[in-house]
mmCIF file of all heavy atoms in Angstrom:
data_model
loop_
_atom_site.group_PDB
_atom_site.id
_atom_site.type_symbol
_atom_site.label_atom_id
_atom_site.label_comp_id
_atom_site.label_asym_id
_atom_site.label_seq_id
_atom_site.Cartn_x
_atom_site.Cartn_y
_atom_site.Cartn_z
ATOM 1 N N TYR X 1504 -18.015 10.789 13.622
ATOM 2 C CA TYR X 1504 -19.266 11.095 12.963
ATOM 3 C C TYR X 1504 -19.936 9.732 12.631
ATOM 4 O O TYR X 1504 -21.151 9.615 12.820
ATOM 5 C CB TYR X 1504 -19.073 11.832 11.670
ATOM 6 C CG TYR X 1504 -19.032 13.371 11.873
ATOM 7 C CD1 TYR X 1504 -17.964 13.992 12.292
ATOM 8 C CD2 TYR X 1504 -20.177 14.091 11.569
ATOM 9 C CE1 TYR X 1504 -17.902 15.384 12.505
ATOM 10 C CE2 TYR X 1504 -20.136 15.531 11.787
ATOM 11 C CZ TYR X 1504 -19.013 16.076 12.187
ATOM 12 O OH TYR X 1504 -19.025 17.463 12.399
ATOM 13 N N ALA X 1505 -19.166 8.776 12.023
ATOM 14 C CA ALA X 1505 -19.856 7.425 11.668
ATOM 15 C C ALA X 1505 -20.294 6.784 12.884
ATOM 16 O O ALA X 1505 -21.389 6.262 12.862
ATOM 17 C CB ALA X 1505 -18.837 6.641 10.976
ATOM 18 N N ILE X 1506 -19.601 6.688 13.986
ATOM 19 C CA ILE X 1506 -19.999 5.952 15.115
ATOM 20 C C ILE X 1506 -21.082 6.647 15.871
ATOM 21 O O ILE X 1506 -22.033 5.983 16.238
ATOM 22 C CB ILE X 1506 -18.819 5.691 16.031
ATOM 23 C CG1 ILE X 1506 -17.714 4.863 15.531
ATOM 24 C CG2 ILE X 1506 -19.327 5.059 17.486
ATOM 25 C CD1 ILE X 1506 -16.505 4.883 16.345
ATOM 26 N N CYS X 1507 -21.115 7.955 15.885
ATOM 27 C CA CYS X 1507 -22.232 8.667 16.551
ATOM 28 C C CYS X 1507 -23.493 8.498 15.744
ATOM 29 O O CYS X 1507 -24.593 8.248 16.321
ATOM 30 C CB CYS X 1507 -21.956 10.124 16.729
ATOM 31 S SG CYS X 1507 -20.708 10.392 18.029
ATOM 32 N N PHE X 1508 -23.423 8.541 14.430
ATOM 33 C CA PHE X 1508 -24.656 8.334 13.588
ATOM 34 C C PHE X 1508 -25.115 6.952 13.731
ATOM 35 O O PHE X 1508 -26.367 6.695 13.858
ATOM 36 C CB PHE X 1508 -24.305 8.657 12.077
ATOM 37 C CG PHE X 1508 -24.524 10.081 11.893
ATOM 38 C CD1 PHE X 1508 -23.346 10.795 11.112
ATOM 39 C CD2 PHE X 1508 -25.521 10.857 12.157
ATOM 40 C CE1 PHE X 1508 -23.488 12.132 10.811
ATOM 41 C CE2 PHE X 1508 -25.728 12.205 11.805
ATOM 42 C CZ PHE X 1508 -24.601 12.849 11.164
ATOM 43 N N SER X 1509 -24.162 5.942 13.756
ATOM 44 C CA SER X 1509 -24.603 4.598 13.822
ATOM 45 C C SER X 1509 -25.360 4.242 15.138
ATOM 46 O O SER X 1509 -26.074 3.380 15.175
ATOM 47 C CB SER X 1509 -23.389 3.585 13.667
ATOM 48 O OG SER X 1509 -22.395 3.788 14.687
ATOM 49 N N SER X 1510 -24.934 4.995 16.274
ATOM 50 C CA SER X 1510 -25.533 4.779 17.497
ATOM 51 C C SER X 1510 -26.737 5.679 17.713
ATOM 52 O O SER X 1510 -27.338 5.800 18.785
ATOM 53 C CB SER X 1510 -24.447 5.057 18.548
ATOM 54 O OG SER X 1510 -23.450 4.164 18.503
ATOM 55 N N ARG X 1511 -27.116 6.371 16.583
ATOM 56 C CA ARG X 1511 -28.295 7.293 16.671
ATOM 57 C C ARG X 1511 -28.053 8.340 17.775
ATOM 58 O O ARG X 1511 -28.916 8.735 18.439
ATOM 59 C CB ARG X 1511 -29.538 6.534 16.906
ATOM 60 C CG ARG X 1511 -29.894 5.495 15.780
ATOM 61 C CD ARG X 1511 -31.269 4.836 16.116
ATOM 62 N NE ARG X 1511 -31.570 3.987 14.972
ATOM 63 C CZ ARG X 1511 -31.146 2.736 14.763
ATOM 64 N NH1 ARG X 1511 -30.196 2.336 15.611
ATOM 65 N NH2 ARG X 1511 -31.443 2.042 13.743
ATOM 66 N N CYS X 1512 -26.743 8.755 17.859
ATOM 67 C CA CYS X 1512 -26.417 9.900 18.861
ATOM 68 C C CYS X 1512 -26.541 11.187 18.100
ATOM 69 O O CYS X 1512 -26.013 11.387 17.025
ATOM 70 C CB CYS X 1512 -25.055 9.721 19.336
ATOM 71 S SG CYS X 1512 -24.431 11.018 20.446
ATOM 72 N N ARG X 1513 -27.231 12.143 18.772
ATOM 73 C CA ARG X 1513 -27.475 13.488 18.088
ATOM 74 C C ARG X 1513 -26.391 14.576 18.458
ATOM 75 O O ARG X 1513 -26.487 15.682 17.939
ATOM 76 C CB ARG X 1513 -28.842 14.038 18.488
ATOM 77 C CG ARG X 1513 -29.947 13.153 17.902
ATOM 78 C CD ARG X 1513 -31.273 13.695 18.202
ATOM 79 N NE ARG X 1513 -32.469 12.869 17.677
ATOM 80 C CZ ARG X 1513 -32.844 12.821 16.442
ATOM 81 N NH1 ARG X 1513 -32.323 13.759 15.604
ATOM 82 N NH2 ARG X 1513 -33.808 12.132 16.089
ATOM 83 N N TYR X 1514 -25.474 14.093 19.430
ATOM 84 C CA TYR X 1514 -24.383 15.059 19.829
ATOM 85 C C TYR X 1514 -23.182 14.701 19.267
ATOM 86 O O TYR X 1514 -22.720 13.593 19.547
ATOM 87 C CB TYR X 1514 -24.333 15.154 21.392
ATOM 88 C CG TYR X 1514 -23.319 16.264 21.800
ATOM 89 C CD1 TYR X 1514 -23.684 17.521 22.030
ATOM 90 C CD2 TYR X 1514 -22.007 15.809 22.044
ATOM 91 C CE1 TYR X 1514 -22.784 18.475 22.364
ATOM 92 C CE2 TYR X 1514 -21.146 16.741 22.448
ATOM 93 C CZ TYR X 1514 -21.457 18.080 22.628
ATOM 94 O OH TYR X 1514 -20.530 19.041 22.930
ATOM 95 N N ILE X 1515 -22.578 15.607 18.400
ATOM 96 C CA ILE X 1515 -21.382 15.179 17.736
ATOM 97 C C ILE X 1515 -20.283 16.266 18.183
ATOM 98 O O ILE X 1515 -20.437 17.336 17.925
ATOM 99 C CB ILE X 1515 -21.438 15.066 16.147
ATOM 100 C CG1 ILE X 1515 -22.566 14.168 15.958
ATOM 101 C CG2 ILE X 1515 -20.128 14.841 15.508
ATOM 102 C CD1 ILE X 1515 -22.943 14.028 14.359
ATOM 103 N N SER X 1516 -19.057 15.700 18.566
ATOM 104 C CA SER X 1516 -17.973 16.664 19.024
ATOM 105 C C SER X 1516 -16.709 16.237 18.304
ATOM 106 O O SER X 1516 -16.471 14.932 18.069
ATOM 107 C CB SER X 1516 -17.792 16.551 20.449
ATOM 108 O OG SER X 1516 -16.651 17.368 20.741
ATOM 109 N N SER X 1517 -15.772 17.127 18.014
ATOM 110 C CA SER X 1517 -14.565 16.772 17.488
ATOM 111 C C SER X 1517 -13.532 16.271 18.474
ATOM 112 O O SER X 1517 -12.513 15.879 18.063
ATOM 113 C CB SER X 1517 -14.020 17.903 16.669
ATOM 114 O OG SER X 1517 -13.784 18.948 17.544
ATOM 115 N N LYS X 1518 -13.851 16.308 19.708
ATOM 116 C CA LYS X 1518 -12.924 16.002 20.693
ATOM 117 C C LYS X 1518 -13.321 14.617 21.448
ATOM 118 O O LYS X 1518 -12.294 13.941 21.855
ATOM 119 C CB LYS X 1518 -12.958 17.016 21.889
ATOM 120 C CG LYS X 1518 -12.506 18.397 21.403
ATOM 121 C CD LYS X 1518 -12.447 19.355 22.556
ATOM 122 C CE LYS X 1518 -12.172 20.697 22.190
ATOM 123 N NZ LYS X 1518 -12.223 21.758 23.345
ATOM 124 N N ASP X 1519 -14.484 14.233 21.469
ATOM 125 C CA ASP X 1519 -14.823 12.962 22.111
ATOM 126 C C ASP X 1519 -15.693 12.129 21.308
ATOM 127 O O ASP X 1519 -16.522 12.623 20.477
ATOM 128 C CB ASP X 1519 -15.630 13.242 23.406
ATOM 129 C CG ASP X 1519 -14.675 14.071 24.380
ATOM 130 O OD1 ASP X 1519 -13.712 13.675 24.792
ATOM 131 O OD2 ASP X 1519 -15.306 15.140 24.714
ATOM 132 N N ILE X 1520 -15.581 10.858 21.301
ATOM 133 C CA ILE X 1520 -16.413 9.914 20.768
ATOM 134 C C ILE X 1520 -17.666 9.711 21.623
ATOM 135 O O ILE X 1520 -17.505 9.057 22.728
ATOM 136 C CB ILE X 1520 -15.830 8.542 20.336
ATOM 137 C CG1 ILE X 1520 -14.821 8.760 19.243
ATOM 138 C CG2 ILE X 1520 -16.874 7.531 19.944
ATOM 139 C CD1 ILE X 1520 -14.188 7.513 18.795
ATOM 140 N N HIS X 1521 -18.715 10.140 21.321
ATOM 141 C CA HIS X 1521 -19.920 9.997 22.223
ATOM 142 C C HIS X 1521 -20.735 8.829 21.799
ATOM 143 O O HIS X 1521 -21.801 8.751 21.374
ATOM 144 C CB HIS X 1521 -20.863 11.353 22.035
ATOM 145 C CG HIS X 1521 -20.170 12.531 22.611
ATOM 146 N ND1 HIS X 1521 -20.079 12.785 23.973
ATOM 147 C CD2 HIS X 1521 -19.455 13.498 22.012
ATOM 148 C CE1 HIS X 1521 -19.438 13.893 24.128
ATOM 149 N NE2 HIS X 1521 -19.023 14.308 22.986
ATOM 150 N N CYS X 1522 -20.034 7.617 22.109
ATOM 151 C CA CYS X 1522 -20.683 6.281 21.876
ATOM 152 C C CYS X 1522 -20.362 5.441 23.159
ATOM 153 O O CYS X 1522 -19.200 5.252 23.409
ATOM 154 C CB CYS X 1522 -20.173 5.722 20.596
ATOM 155 S SG CYS X 1522 -20.791 4.008 20.324
ATOM 156 N N SER X 1523 -21.440 4.777 23.812
ATOM 157 C CA SER X 1523 -21.069 4.101 24.971
ATOM 158 C C SER X 1523 -20.716 2.589 24.589
ATOM 159 O O SER X 1523 -20.558 1.782 25.519
ATOM 160 C CB SER X 1523 -22.256 4.170 25.849
ATOM 161 O OG SER X 1523 -23.389 3.586 25.089
ATOM 162 N N CYS X 1524 -20.608 2.356 23.377
ATOM 163 C CA CYS X 1524 -20.180 0.936 23.019
ATOM 164 C C CYS X 1524 -18.791 0.619 23.494
ATOM 165 O O CYS X 1524 -17.897 1.346 23.206
ATOM 166 C CB CYS X 1524 -20.347 0.681 21.447
ATOM 167 S SG CYS X 1524 -19.999 -0.986 20.949
ATOM 168 N N LEU X 1525 -18.726 -0.490 24.282
ATOM 169 C CA LEU X 1525 -17.455 -0.877 24.889
ATOM 170 C C LEU X 1525 -16.458 -1.249 23.693
ATOM 171 O O LEU X 1525 -15.237 -1.217 23.868
ATOM 172 C CB LEU X 1525 -17.573 -1.977 25.748
ATOM 173 C CG LEU X 1525 -18.366 -1.626 27.089
ATOM 174 C CD1 LEU X 1525 -18.539 -2.862 27.941
ATOM 175 C CD2 LEU X 1525 -17.710 -0.473 27.782
ATOM 176 N N LEU X 1526 -17.076 -1.725 22.637
ATOM 177 C CA LEU X 1526 -16.261 -2.184 21.428
ATOM 178 C C LEU X 1526 -15.423 -1.097 20.894
ATOM 179 O O LEU X 1526 -14.256 -1.166 20.506
ATOM 180 C CB LEU X 1526 -17.128 -2.808 20.370
ATOM 181 C CG LEU X 1526 -16.405 -3.324 19.122
ATOM 182 C CD1 LEU X 1526 -15.545 -4.484 19.477
ATOM 183 C CD2 LEU X 1526 -17.507 -3.781 18.164
ATOM 184 N N CYS X 1527 -16.032 0.270 20.837
ATOM 185 C CA CYS X 1527 -15.319 1.370 20.301
ATOM 186 C C CYS X 1527 -14.121 1.677 21.179
ATOM 187 O O CYS X 1527 -13.128 2.198 20.693
ATOM 188 C CB CYS X 1527 -16.281 2.594 20.214
ATOM 189 S SG CYS X 1527 -17.759 2.126 19.202
ATOM 190 N N LYS X 1528 -14.374 1.462 22.538
ATOM 191 C CA LYS X 1528 -13.306 1.857 23.469
ATOM 192 C C LYS X 1528 -12.080 0.894 23.375
ATOM 193 O O LYS X 1528 -11.006 1.239 23.411
ATOM 194 C CB LYS X 1528 -13.790 1.935 24.832
ATOM 195 C CG LYS X 1528 -14.813 3.029 25.078
ATOM 196 C CD LYS X 1528 -15.328 2.889 26.476
ATOM 197 C CE LYS X 1528 -16.519 3.933 26.649
ATOM 198 N NZ LYS X 1528 -17.010 3.892 28.003
ATOM 199 N N ARG X 1529 -12.401 -0.372 23.037
ATOM 200 C CA ARG X 1529 -11.381 -1.427 22.954
ATOM 201 C C ARG X 1529 -10.451 -1.200 21.770
ATOM 202 O O ARG X 1529 -9.329 -1.641 21.745
ATOM 203 C CB ARG X 1529 -12.041 -2.819 22.776
ATOM 204 C CG ARG X 1529 -12.696 -3.336 24.014
ATOM 205 C CD ARG X 1529 -12.971 -4.767 23.920
ATOM 206 N NE ARG X 1529 -13.998 -5.163 25.053
ATOM 207 C CZ ARG X 1529 -15.278 -5.372 24.809
ATOM 208 N NH1 ARG X 1529 -15.811 -5.374 23.615
ATOM 209 N NH2 ARG X 1529 -15.984 -5.866 25.800
ATOM 210 N N THR X 1530 -10.923 -0.469 20.731
ATOM 211 C CA THR X 1530 -10.116 -0.262 19.500
ATOM 212 C C THR X 1530 -9.001 0.783 19.800
ATOM 213 O O THR X 1530 -8.061 0.774 18.996
ATOM 214 C CB THR X 1530 -10.973 0.350 18.326
ATOM 215 O OG1 THR X 1530 -11.507 1.555 18.839
ATOM 216 C CG2 THR X 1530 -12.080 -0.585 17.999
ATOM 217 N N SER X 1531 -9.140 1.362 20.900
ATOM 218 C CA SER X 1531 -8.024 2.451 21.313
ATOM 219 C C SER X 1531 -7.915 3.490 20.221
ATOM 220 O O SER X 1531 -6.753 4.153 20.322
ATOM 221 C CB SER X 1531 -6.749 1.753 21.635
ATOM 222 O OG SER X 1531 -6.830 0.814 22.736
ATOM 223 N N LEU X 1532 -8.875 3.695 19.373
ATOM 224 C CA LEU X 1532 -8.609 4.830 18.489
ATOM 225 C C LEU X 1532 -8.832 6.078 19.129
ATOM 226 O O LEU X 1532 -8.208 7.120 18.824
ATOM 227 C CB LEU X 1532 -9.777 4.650 17.368
ATOM 228 C CG LEU X 1532 -9.598 3.388 16.490
ATOM 229 C CD1 LEU X 1532 -10.724 3.228 15.518
ATOM 230 C CD2 LEU X 1532 -8.319 3.432 15.751
ATOM 231 N N VAL X 1533 -9.873 6.254 20.116
ATOM 232 C CA VAL X 1533 -10.139 7.491 20.751
ATOM 233 C C VAL X 1533 -10.374 7.185 22.222
ATOM 234 O O VAL X 1533 -11.014 6.287 22.523
ATOM 235 C CB VAL X 1533 -11.317 8.180 20.185
ATOM 236 C CG1 VAL X 1533 -11.658 9.575 20.892
ATOM 237 C CG2 VAL X 1533 -11.131 8.442 18.629
ATOM 238 N N LYS X 1534 -9.846 8.062 23.050
ATOM 239 C CA LYS X 1534 -10.027 7.748 24.471
ATOM 240 C C LYS X 1534 -11.144 8.781 24.955
ATOM 241 O O LYS X 1534 -10.928 10.014 25.065
ATOM 242 C CB LYS X 1534 -8.770 8.121 25.308
ATOM 243 C CG LYS X 1534 -7.699 7.094 25.062
ATOM 244 C CD LYS X 1534 -6.458 7.465 25.898
ATOM 245 C CE LYS X 1534 -5.308 6.418 25.706
ATOM 246 N NZ LYS X 1534 -4.121 6.761 26.374
ATOM 247 N N ALA X 1535 -12.393 8.253 25.190
ATOM 248 C CA ALA X 1535 -13.560 9.121 25.491
ATOM 249 C C ALA X 1535 -13.549 9.163 27.094
ATOM 250 O O ALA X 1535 -13.409 8.321 27.833
ATOM 251 C CB ALA X 1535 -14.879 8.416 25.034
ATOM 252 N N ASN X 1536 -13.776 10.487 27.449
ATOM 253 C CA ASN X 1536 -13.934 10.801 28.887
ATOM 254 C C ASN X 1536 -15.375 10.425 29.296
ATOM 255 O O ASN X 1536 -16.236 11.043 28.757
ATOM 256 C CB ASN X 1536 -13.655 12.340 28.998
ATOM 257 C CG ASN X 1536 -13.610 12.610 30.520
ATOM 258 O OD1 ASN X 1536 -14.575 12.389 31.255
ATOM 259 N ND2 ASN X 1536 -12.562 13.187 30.969
ATOM 260 N N SER X 1537 -15.458 9.539 30.281
ATOM 261 C CA SER X 1537 -16.735 9.109 30.746
ATOM 262 C C SER X 1537 -17.632 10.087 31.324
ATOM 263 O O SER X 1537 -18.870 10.206 31.241
ATOM 264 C CB SER X 1537 -16.547 7.917 31.710
ATOM 265 O OG SER X 1537 -15.910 8.315 32.863
ATOM 266 N N ASP X 1538 -17.028 11.152 32.091
ATOM 267 C CA ASP X 1538 -17.731 12.205 32.631
ATOM 268 C C ASP X 1538 -18.402 13.074 31.584
ATOM 269 O O ASP X 1538 -19.584 13.340 31.540
ATOM 270 C CB ASP X 1538 -16.911 13.045 33.625
ATOM 271 C CG ASP X 1538 -16.407 12.263 34.676
ATOM 272 O OD1 ASP X 1538 -17.152 11.293 35.103
ATOM 273 O OD2 ASP X 1538 -15.298 12.562 35.259
ATOM 274 N N GLN X 1539 -17.561 13.400 30.646
ATOM 275 C CA GLN X 1539 -18.050 14.269 29.498
ATOM 276 C C GLN X 1539 -19.078 13.522 28.669
ATOM 277 O O GLN X 1539 -20.008 13.954 28.218
ATOM 278 C CB GLN X 1539 -16.886 14.674 28.638
ATOM 279 C CG GLN X 1539 -15.912 15.684 29.268
ATOM 280 C CD GLN X 1539 -14.881 16.039 28.302
ATOM 281 O OE1 GLN X 1539 -14.649 15.448 27.328
ATOM 282 N NE2 GLN X 1539 -14.027 17.054 28.691
ATOM 283 N N LEU X 1540 -18.860 12.168 28.521
ATOM 284 C CA LEU X 1540 -19.816 11.297 27.859
ATOM 285 C C LEU X 1540 -21.179 11.305 28.415
ATOM 286 O O LEU X 1540 -22.229 11.495 27.723
ATOM 287 C CB LEU X 1540 -19.225 9.857 27.775
ATOM 288 C CG LEU X 1540 -19.968 8.899 26.932
ATOM 289 C CD1 LEU X 1540 -19.672 9.144 25.436
ATOM 290 C CD2 LEU X 1540 -19.484 7.550 27.256
ATOM 291 N N ASN X 1541 -21.278 11.196 29.709
ATOM 292 C CA ASN X 1541 -22.563 11.143 30.366
ATOM 293 C C ASN X 1541 -23.235 12.485 30.459
ATOM 294 O O ASN X 1541 -24.455 12.541 30.359
ATOM 295 C CB ASN X 1541 -22.549 10.559 31.705
ATOM 296 C CG ASN X 1541 -22.072 9.109 31.618
ATOM 297 O OD1 ASN X 1541 -22.288 8.403 30.663
ATOM 298 N ND2 ASN X 1541 -21.470 8.592 32.742
ATOM 299 N N SER X 1542 -22.393 13.545 30.596
ATOM 300 C CA SER X 1542 -23.093 14.961 30.767
ATOM 301 C C SER X 1542 -23.342 15.644 29.479
ATOM 302 O O SER X 1542 -24.235 16.385 29.406
ATOM 303 C CB SER X 1542 -22.061 15.736 31.610
ATOM 304 O OG SER X 1542 -20.800 15.945 30.849
ATOM 305 N N ARG X 1543 -22.624 15.310 28.484
ATOM 306 C CA ARG X 1543 -22.744 16.051 27.172
ATOM 307 C C ARG X 1543 -23.503 15.279 26.128
ATOM 308 O O ARG X 1543 -23.958 15.826 25.155
ATOM 309 C CB ARG X 1543 -21.395 16.445 26.692
ATOM 310 C CG ARG X 1543 -20.636 17.415 27.666
ATOM 311 C CD ARG X 1543 -19.184 17.606 27.082
ATOM 312 N NE ARG X 1543 -19.232 18.268 25.849
ATOM 313 C CZ ARG X 1543 -18.122 18.603 25.148
ATOM 314 N NH1 ARG X 1543 -16.902 18.092 25.686
ATOM 315 N NH2 ARG X 1543 -18.090 19.149 24.040
ATOM 316 N N CYS X 1544 -23.718 13.919 26.324
ATOM 317 C CA CYS X 1544 -24.383 13.271 25.246
ATOM 318 C C CYS X 1544 -25.554 12.444 25.954
ATOM 319 O O CYS X 1544 -25.407 11.438 26.599
ATOM 320 C CB CYS X 1544 -23.375 12.254 24.752
ATOM 321 S SG CYS X 1544 -24.209 11.249 23.348
ATOM 322 N N PRO X 1545 -26.797 12.917 25.853
ATOM 323 C CA PRO X 1545 -27.970 12.290 26.505
ATOM 324 C C PRO X 1545 -28.231 10.948 25.986
ATOM 325 O O PRO X 1545 -28.707 10.119 26.690
ATOM 326 C CB PRO X 1545 -29.072 13.297 26.198
ATOM 327 C CG PRO X 1545 -28.641 14.044 24.994
ATOM 328 C CD PRO X 1545 -27.204 14.135 25.056
ATOM 329 N N VAL X 1546 -27.966 10.600 24.631
ATOM 330 C CA VAL X 1546 -28.274 9.286 24.026
ATOM 331 C C VAL X 1546 -27.224 8.270 24.670
ATOM 332 O O VAL X 1546 -27.559 7.258 25.098
ATOM 333 C CB VAL X 1546 -28.105 9.361 22.592
ATOM 334 C CG1 VAL X 1546 -28.342 8.028 21.988
ATOM 335 C CG2 VAL X 1546 -29.221 10.334 21.970
ATOM 336 N N ALA X 1547 -26.017 8.778 24.672
ATOM 337 C CA ALA X 1547 -24.865 7.775 25.266
ATOM 338 C C ALA X 1547 -25.150 7.581 26.740
ATOM 339 O O ALA X 1547 -24.820 6.434 27.314
ATOM 340 C CB ALA X 1547 -23.564 8.364 24.973
ATOM 341 N N ALA X 1548 -25.688 8.512 27.468
ATOM 342 C CA ALA X 1548 -25.951 8.350 28.950
ATOM 343 C C ALA X 1548 -26.944 7.248 29.190
ATOM 344 O O ALA X 1548 -26.954 6.731 30.174
ATOM 345 C CB ALA X 1548 -26.358 9.709 29.479
ATOM 346 N N ARG X 1549 -27.912 7.020 28.206
ATOM 347 C CA ARG X 1549 -28.846 5.965 28.386
ATOM 348 C C ARG X 1549 -28.340 4.648 27.882
ATOM 349 O O ARG X 1549 -29.012 3.742 28.041
ATOM 350 C CB ARG X 1549 -30.106 6.347 27.621
ATOM 351 C CG ARG X 1549 -30.816 7.620 28.066
ATOM 352 C CD ARG X 1549 -32.229 7.696 27.550
ATOM 353 N NE ARG X 1549 -32.294 7.666 26.132
ATOM 354 C CZ ARG X 1549 -32.318 8.757 25.443
ATOM 355 N NH1 ARG X 1549 -32.388 9.929 26.014
ATOM 356 N NH2 ARG X 1549 -32.390 8.812 24.093
ATOM 357 N N ARG X 1550 -27.190 4.680 27.284
ATOM 358 C CA ARG X 1550 -26.743 3.455 26.662
ATOM 359 C C ARG X 1550 -25.297 3.120 27.253
ATOM 360 O O ARG X 1550 -24.254 3.352 26.703
ATOM 361 C CB ARG X 1550 -26.560 3.533 25.209
ATOM 362 C CG ARG X 1550 -27.882 3.744 24.456
ATOM 363 C CD ARG X 1550 -27.665 3.791 23.006
ATOM 364 N NE ARG X 1550 -28.963 3.888 22.253
ATOM 365 C CZ ARG X 1550 -29.085 3.687 20.956
ATOM 366 N NH1 ARG X 1550 -27.942 3.505 20.296
ATOM 367 N NH2 ARG X 1550 -30.233 3.732 20.422
ATOM 368 N N LYS X 1551 -25.384 2.583 28.466
ATOM 369 C CA LYS X 1551 -24.102 2.194 29.186
ATOM 370 C C LYS X 1551 -23.749 0.811 28.962
ATOM 371 O O LYS X 1551 -24.367 0.014 29.570
ATOM 372 C CB LYS X 1551 -24.130 2.477 30.661
ATOM 373 C CG LYS X 1551 -24.357 4.046 30.963
ATOM 374 C CD LYS X 1551 -24.351 4.300 32.420
ATOM 375 C CE LYS X 1551 -24.500 5.724 32.774
ATOM 376 N NZ LYS X 1551 -24.570 5.958 34.235
ATOM 377 N N GLY X 1552 -22.898 0.461 28.003
ATOM 378 C CA GLY X 1552 -22.507 -0.850 27.740
ATOM 379 C C GLY X 1552 -23.201 -1.350 26.514
ATOM 380 O O GLY X 1552 -24.365 -0.954 26.218
ATOM 381 N N CYS X 1553 -22.567 -2.391 25.917
ATOM 382 C CA CYS X 1553 -23.183 -2.914 24.631
ATOM 383 C C CYS X 1553 -24.477 -3.665 24.849
ATOM 384 O O CYS X 1553 -25.277 -3.912 23.940
ATOM 385 C CB CYS X 1553 -22.173 -3.927 24.023
ATOM 386 S SG CYS X 1553 -20.652 -3.030 23.462
ATOM 387 N N SER X 1554 -24.728 -4.134 26.073
ATOM 388 C CA SER X 1554 -25.929 -5.007 26.396
ATOM 389 C C SER X 1554 -27.171 -4.165 26.237
ATOM 390 O O SER X 1554 -28.320 -4.810 26.011
ATOM 391 C CB SER X 1554 -25.852 -5.353 27.859
ATOM 392 O OG SER X 1554 -25.847 -4.419 28.747
ATOM 393 N N LYS X 1555 -27.180 -2.921 26.239
ATOM 394 C CA LYS X 1555 -28.345 -2.041 26.094
ATOM 395 C C LYS X 1555 -28.388 -1.449 24.613
ATOM 396 O O LYS X 1555 -29.278 -0.648 24.413
ATOM 397 C CB LYS X 1555 -28.361 -0.961 27.097
ATOM 398 C CG LYS X 1555 -28.614 -1.433 28.511
ATOM 399 C CD LYS X 1555 -28.764 -0.292 29.502
ATOM 400 C CE LYS X 1555 -28.986 -0.843 30.902
ATOM 401 N NZ LYS X 1555 -29.226 0.193 31.875
#
Side-chain angles (χ1 to χ4, degrees):
Y1504 274 80
I1506 294 174
C1507 288
F1508 276 128
S1509 65
S1510 299
R1511 296 177 177 85
C1512 176
R1513 296 183 181 276
Y1514 182 86
I1515 301 173
S1516 169
S1517 61
K1518 297 181 179 179
D1519 301 300
I1520 290 183
H1521 292 279
C1522 174
S1523 60
C1524 180
L1525 297 177
L1526 183 62
C1527 302
K1528 297 177 184 178
R1529 292 195 191 104
T1530 60
S1531 300
L1532 293 175
V1533 179
K1534 294 181 180 179
N1536 186 301
S1537 59
D1538 295 333
Q1539 293 179 347
L1540 187 70
N1541 293 336
S1542 61
R1543 298 172 63 185
C1544 180
V1546 176
R1549 295 196 302 267
R1550 295 185 173 188
K1551 296 181 179 180
C1553 293
S1554 62
K1555 292 187 179 181

